[in-house]
Amino acid sequence: MGDSTVVQVALEDALHLGVLSSRIHVVWALAAGGRMGVGNDPRYLKATCFDPFPFPVCAFDDAERIRQLGEQLDAHRKRQQGAHPGLTITGMYNVLEKLRAGAELTAKERVIHEQGLVSVLKQIHDELDAAVFAAYGWPVTLSDEEILERLVALNHERAEEEKRGSVRWLRPEF
């Protein structure tokens, strides 16, 4: 019996990794996903976080930029974890959140920052966020609430398109 809490997204195009790693998708997933455990931790649910998420319809240049940044993100994380076997994605992103909040890092977090080159990770994410916002044609200054409002409206727009027979597949060859 499989574990229904494991979500795998097997898409070969780093464009999708880039979009799914963006602030826009994180805001969506945190609002649409579930919660679990004592800490009420966020839970990514395929049916509510991935399936209805309205991916941007990208111009060629926007898609190439997001793809390039998605590949950079993947390579950076793999390279730093390969060089430091005890380094975890969770640790890097916890330090990233503290950096973004302007909080002081503990000694352990400073080691993670150094090993994970978390400032580089932040730069890649900042560039990725800007590229994904550009693909949607939205300003990067949107609040989380405004992002959700726009995504919900876009989701409804796409649902109407599907009713008329126009379906935007992630893998159009199918």
Side-chain angles (χ1 to χ4, degrees), residues 150-165:
R150 288 178 183 226
L151 288 171
V152 168
L154 188 53
N155 175 276
H156 289 303
E157 187 179 306
R158 299 273 172 83
E160 288 302 314
E161 289 176 358
E162 288 181 17
K163 285 180 187 174
R164 293 189 304 273

Side-chain angles (χ1 to χ4, degrees), residues 21 73 93 96 100 121-129:
S21 299
L73 178 65
Y93 279 92
L96 176 59
R100 287 191 167 148
L121 180 67
K122 181 184 180 305
Q123 180 183 349
I124 295 168
H125 270 288
D126 290 347
E127 291 177 29
L128 181 60
D129 288 343

Side-chain angles (χ1 to χ4, degrees), residues 35-106:
R35 298 281 172 176
M36 64 183 260
V38 175
N40 202 26
D41 295 327
R43 183 174 174 198
Y44 193 94
L45 304 169
K46 180 184 175 294
T48 58
C49 297
F50 182 80
D51 291 344
F53 179 72
F55 280 79
V57 176
C58 298
F60 180 80
D61 290 344
D62 290 332
E64 283 300 306
R65 181 70 179 139
I66 295 168
R67 187 174 288 116
Q68 173 195 20
L69 289 163
E71 289 171 354
Q72 258 187 297
L73 178 65
D74 186 51
H76 174 78
R77 295 185 304 204
K78 285 177 180 174
R79 181 178 52 251
Q80 295 317 116
Q81 285 190 290
H84 306 281
L87 185 64
T88 65
I89 293 283
T90 301
M92 287 190 286
Y93 279 92
N94 287 342
V95 169
L96 176 59
E97 288 309 308
K98 284 192 87 171
L99 284 180
R100 287 191 167 148
E104 192 169 332
L105 300 180
T106 66

Side-chain angles (χ1 to χ4, degrees), residues 1-8 36 43:
M1 181 173 283
D3 184 348
S4 63
T5 63
V6 175
V7 176
Q8 295 181 32
M36 64 183 260
R43 183 174 174 198

